[in-house]
Amino acid sequence: MIFYFTGTGNSLYAAKKLAKKGERLIDMAAALKSGETTYIVPTGETVGFVFPVYCFTVNDVVYDFAGSLDLIGAEYVYAVVTCGGDPFNAGGVLKKRLAERGIVLSRSFKLMMPDNSMLFYDIHPEKAPEILRKADKKLNVIRYLVSHRKERKVSGGCMEKPFRAVYHLVCSTKGFHAEDSCIGCGLCARVCPVGAIEMRGGRPEWVKDKCVKCSACICRCPQQAVQFGKRTKGRNRYVNPVLK
Ligand SMILES: Cc1cc2nc3c(=O)[nH]c(=O)nc-3n(C[C@H](O)[C@H](O)[C@H](O)COP(=O)(O)O)c2cc1C
Ligand code: SF4
Ligand code: SF4
């Protein structure tokens, strides 16, 4: 059983590569929305959490899902934190949150993936194929370690409060807008994991003050019509091939 969250596909890509034949992949955003937070782990299965780091911490969907999870029969629980550079201690934050539910996180892995942080600076999607090749090798190692249930102490979520405070500062949706090149396809609204976008009069509107800042709306728009303030115009977008 693998719980995943993804904005631009990296974490779904990793979750799919880690999943054994028939293993269930559960989208944490959809599960949280529908209130499905109780799971019975099939005998002999491991439990994975695969998600991106944001601002060195865990986003609110993963945080809230982990904080409301009832996991029955879990023997070995691991995390794979996908990142563009440094996940810092996101695994530790998840560990603490899961501990509140009586769930032990036995190991947390860092997985370098193409960076999708284009809301903050320009990114380099042309480097993605090479990064994904290296990620595939690391995923093989993770698969091996998970199947042998290898444990390693996950250090606690130090600096959790300041990083979560910084993260929450960047979560404002004020600044998102669609340019005239928008064709009204509605993809941005469909892919938003927290329902922050609604189509009104054939154009997207950001209807919540805050979102999780996953970058899906801005990176996945086929017209590159979504912008955040003035700073994202002309910047590269990134979408993992698993979503194409
Ligand atoms: C709002 C935001 C904050 C991010 N913060 C970090 C970070 O602190 N450290 C890091 O290494 N990568 C950071 N990233 C990059 C993503 O974690 C990375 O590209 C991830 O693999 C994206 O996963 P996804 O495609 O499954 O959404 C950030 C991305 C976004 C959108
Ligand atoms: S994804 Fe882009 S083109 Fe489609 S509705 Fe949203 S802004 Fe418009
Ligand atoms: S509004 Fe855009 S960046 Fe924010 S959560 Fe929705 S899809 Fe992600």
Side-chain angles (χ1 to χ4, degrees):
M1 179 177 288
I2 298 180
F3 299 105
Y4 75 91
F5 176 95
T6 197
T8 56
N10 285 342
S11 309
L12 177 60
Y13 174 95
K16 283 191 165 189
K17 294 241 165 182
L18 289 168
K20 294 204 180 76
K21 205 166 176 247
E23 187 169 2
R24 222 175 135 193
L25 290 182
I26 297 151
D27 175 352
M28 287 187 263
L32 197 59
K33 242 183 254 171
S34 66
E36 252 182 79
T37 52
T38 302
Y39 296 87
I40 300 170
V41 183
T43 311
E45 261 200 22
T46 57
V47 179
F49 288 82
V50 186
F51 59 93
V53 58
Y54 292 160
C55 304
F56 299 141
T57 190
V58 167
N59 76 37
D60 280 358
V61 166
V62 176
Y63 195 80
D64 291 349
F65 180 79
S68 57
L69 182 60
D70 284 317
L71 202 52
I72 299 155
E75 293 166 358
Y76 178 86
V77 181
Y78 66 97
V80 175
V81 185
T82 74
C83 67
D86 185 2
F88 191 61
N89 208 7
V93 176
L94 179 70
K95 175 188 151 176
K96 273 169 80 178
R97 194 67 170 147
L98 288 175
E100 290 169 22
R101 307 297 300 168
I103 302 163
V104 178
L105 186 65
S106 294
R107 186 130 187 186
S108 178
F109 301 94
K110 162 186 173 176
L111 184 66
M112 277 286 287
M113 291 296 269
D115 194 359
N116 70 350
S117 310
M118 55 76 65
L119 285 161
F120 307 117
Y121 45 78
D122 203 3
I123 54 170
H124 300 281
E126 72 282 0
K127 294 184 181 165
E130 181 55 26
I131 296 170
L132 289 176
R133 264 192 294 277
K134 286 186 182 151
D136 284 348
K137 285 188 188 157
K138 174 93 186 254
L139 282 164
N140 284 337
V141 175
I142 295 174
R143 203 181 298 111
Y144 172 85
L145 293 170
V146 166
S147 66
H148 288 78
R149 304 195 175 197
K150 298 285 185 193
E151 301 194 359
R152 180 175 288 171
K153 189 175 183 298
V154 182
S155 50
C158 70
M159 298 282 287
E160 175 181 346
K161 279 193 179 156
F163 285 137
R164 284 189 63 73
V166 170
Y167 168 60
H168 285 137
L169 282 179
V170 307
C171 282
S172 168
T173 58
K174 206 168 163 213
F176 275 124
H177 60 279
E179 295 183 321
D180 288 346
S181 55
C182 166
I183 50 170
C185 68
L187 182 66
C188 50
R190 287 197 298 280
V191 299
C192 177
V194 292
I197 307 172
E198 280 180 17
M199 294 303 288
R200 291 180 181 168
R203 294 289 287 263
E205 276 185 29
W206 280 259
V207 295
K208 291 188 176 172
D209 293 338
K210 299 236 169 208
C211 72
V212 286
K213 274 289 161 77
C214 72
S215 295
C217 56
I218 196 159
C219 283
R220 296 188 64 186
C221 171
Q223 296 293 102
Q224 300 208 351
V226 178
Q227 305 292 350
F228 190 77
K230 289 185 182 153
R231 65 181 188 227
T232 54
K233 194 155 175 72
R235 281 187 191 165
N236 290 310
R237 270 69 173 155
Y238 168 75
V239 182
N240 186 286
V242 80
L243 294 177
K244 284 180 185 158

